[in-house]
Amino acid sequence: MEQTQEDDQLSNLPTITGCSAFPVVLYKAHYLFKDSLLRVLSTRHHFQARPTDIFLASLPKSGTTWLKALAFSSLYRTPLPDLSDLRHPLRVSNPHDIVPFIEIESNLDLSSMPSPRLLSTHLPFDLLPTSIADSGSKIVYVCRNPKDTFVSSWHFWNRIREKAGEEPIPLEASFDQFCDGVSVMGPYWNHVVGYWNASRANDAKVLFVKYEDMIADPIGELKRVAGFMGCPFTEEEEERGGVAEGIVKLCGFESLSNLEVNREGVLETMFEDFENKFYFRRGGVGGWRSLLSLEMGRRLDEITASKFAGTGLSV
Ligand code: PAP
């Protein structure tokens, strides 16, 4: 690829460390991985969405892996083997290997995937490829409360760093950064509000889902997602019973995290191989209390209340 003047400018953006195991840069008010910037821009310009595409969008550590599993096993439930079949893709592959990220998988030929394609992205709404907005494709966005998202992220990057023999990210400094908006794909609030506003503007295009609602009512939320994706559970399936329940059970934390592929397997990423088990820590709501003080929790709540003021959104 030819190096342009813009590429040079981009590769000279100041790097920021401490919010992840890898440096980020500030690009158009969003913090992106330095090493992924050119790839993100290339995806933005070259990725061709199809009207039938479904994108699962999220901030990292918001329930992406779970949503991928639920959406995949719902959307393709007719051609897929029975949920209990040991050959079911979710029993042999990590959800990230099944539902690729458009901005990361440059070595995968996404154009050869049959329709309807199920794809994912961590990109903020305003950095999505223009073809996504212009096509009839749909987006399911999952949001998680910022305290659990921060804590999940802090643990994740420290596991990566620990494996590389590096010191853990200092908690207080990383928390201050998060509060100042510095987090992967952040600021947190801009990412969430971007998709929230898009869903309010066009709820046939963007479905907004909360991780906490998925925990409280996984079957209800799964049905909402399936209906939005255009594959609602049929009357016959409802009468027969157990279809949505079976999907929720297979995709549940206990079930997925205990599969051999997710205990022992590794995921190839643009940085290095990450262990699949890093994507399953404990799950659930309110785990932040084991790491953050009440004062830190209050601080984040106050920032969130002020950032979400007037949006109609609460988390
Ligand atoms: P990613 O964006 O890097 O893919 P993502 O899957 O969004 O990460 O987030 C991982 C979190 O989802 C972890 O949360 P924790 O650190 O608070 O534990 C992980 O445990 C949780 N998670 C993964 N799978 C499930 C699941 N099936 N049900 C509920 N939570 C899950």
Side-chain angles (χ1 to χ4, degrees):
M1 200 173 32
E2 204 184 311
Q3 186 84 1
T4 63
Q5 201 183 352
E6 195 195 3
D7 290 348
D8 282 341
Q9 282 168 357
L10 292 173
S11 42
N12 287 330
L13 287 174
T15 54
I16 301 156
T17 55
C19 64
S20 151
F22 307 100
V24 296
V25 290
L26 184 60
Y27 174 77
K28 290 195 195 280
H30 302 287
Y31 292 93
L32 309 180
F33 284 122
K34 183 178 174 65
D35 289 346
S36 75
L37 193 52
L38 295 182
R39 209 176 302 202
V40 165
L41 298 186
S42 162
T43 303
R44 187 165 155 69
H45 295 300
H46 301 301
F47 177 80
Q48 278 309 316
R50 299 177 193 159
T52 50
D53 284 343
I54 293 163
F55 298 92
L56 307 179
S58 59
L59 271 168
K61 309 302 148 203
S62 300
T64 324
T65 314
W66 190 16
L67 180 64
K68 283 186 178 188
L70 290 168
F72 172 79
S73 41
S74 307
L75 185 64
Y76 302 120
R77 65 188 182 277
T78 308
L80 280 177
D82 196 73
L83 293 170
S84 58
D85 192 315
L86 295 182
R87 290 164 303 173
H88 189 287
L90 281 176
R91 294 188 181 276
V92 289
S93 303
N94 178 272
H96 287 297
D97 274 328
I98 299 177
V99 183
F101 284 103
I102 55 170
E103 69 274 21
I104 297 177
E105 317 281 358
S106 60
N107 53 349
L108 274 183
D109 183 9
L110 301 179
S111 63
S112 67
M113 281 174 74
S115 298
R117 296 184 301 186
L118 186 61
L119 300 164
S120 71
T121 183
H122 280 323
L123 289 176
F125 186 77
D126 55 329
L127 290 188
L128 286 178
T130 39
S131 69
I132 296 184
D134 299 341
S135 71
S137 59
K138 295 182 175 188
I139 301 170
V140 181
Y141 182 76
V142 61
C143 154
R144 189 181 193 188
N145 79 75
K147 300 189 289 280
D148 286 333
T149 303
F150 167 76
V151 167
S152 179
S153 176
W154 187 80
H155 281 294
F156 180 82
W157 293 121
N158 279 338
R159 288 172 104 173
I160 306 281
R161 288 173 69 104
E162 188 183 359
K163 226 184 137 225
E166 293 167 9
E167 291 292 307
I169 300 171
L171 176 65
E172 311 278 335
S174 184
F175 181 76
D176 284 345
Q177 278 186 320
F178 189 89
C179 291
D180 290 339
V182 186
S183 59
V184 176
M185 296 287 169
Y188 169 94
W189 305 276
N190 301 31
H191 202 283
V192 173
V193 171
Y195 282 94
W196 171 252
N197 286 342
S199 76
R200 299 247 289 191
N202 186 353
D203 61 4
K205 175 85 180 172
V206 183
L207 179 73
F208 195 91
V209 179
K210 294 181 183 173
Y211 178 92
E212 291 74 19
D213 292 343
M214 289 166 63
I215 291 281
D217 179 14
I219 292 173
E221 290 305 295
L222 171 65
K223 288 182 178 172
R224 211 159 72 86
V225 170
F228 175 81
M229 293 193 302
C231 58
F233 294 94
T234 62
E235 263 179 43
E236 190 267 324
E237 284 174 314
E238 295 280 6
E239 273 164 25
R240 185 155 40 98
V243 179
E245 289 78 357
I247 289 176
V248 163
K249 191 163 173 221
L250 173 62
C251 301
F253 182 89
E254 285 305 312
S255 157
L256 286 189
S257 61
N258 281 312
L259 291 169
E260 189 186 339
V261 63
N262 293 325
R263 280 188 285 113
E264 315 284 346
V266 291
L267 187 70
E268 276 179 42
T269 76
M270 56 184 235
F271 297 111
E272 57 194 47
D273 289 353
F274 291 174
E275 293 185 40
N276 286 343
K277 65 180 179 217
F278 292 173
Y279 291 86
F280 305 93
R281 192 178 60 90
R282 57 185 278 176
V285 181
W288 63 270
R289 289 188 181 82
S290 61
L291 188 72
L292 304 183
S293 67
L294 288 178
E295 176 51 34
M296 291 162 109
R298 260 196 300 273
R299 180 174 162 203
L300 212 35
D301 285 344
E302 281 168 16
I303 297 173
T304 303
S306 81
K307 300 273 185 192
F308 287 175
T311 63
L313 175 62
S314 62
V315 291

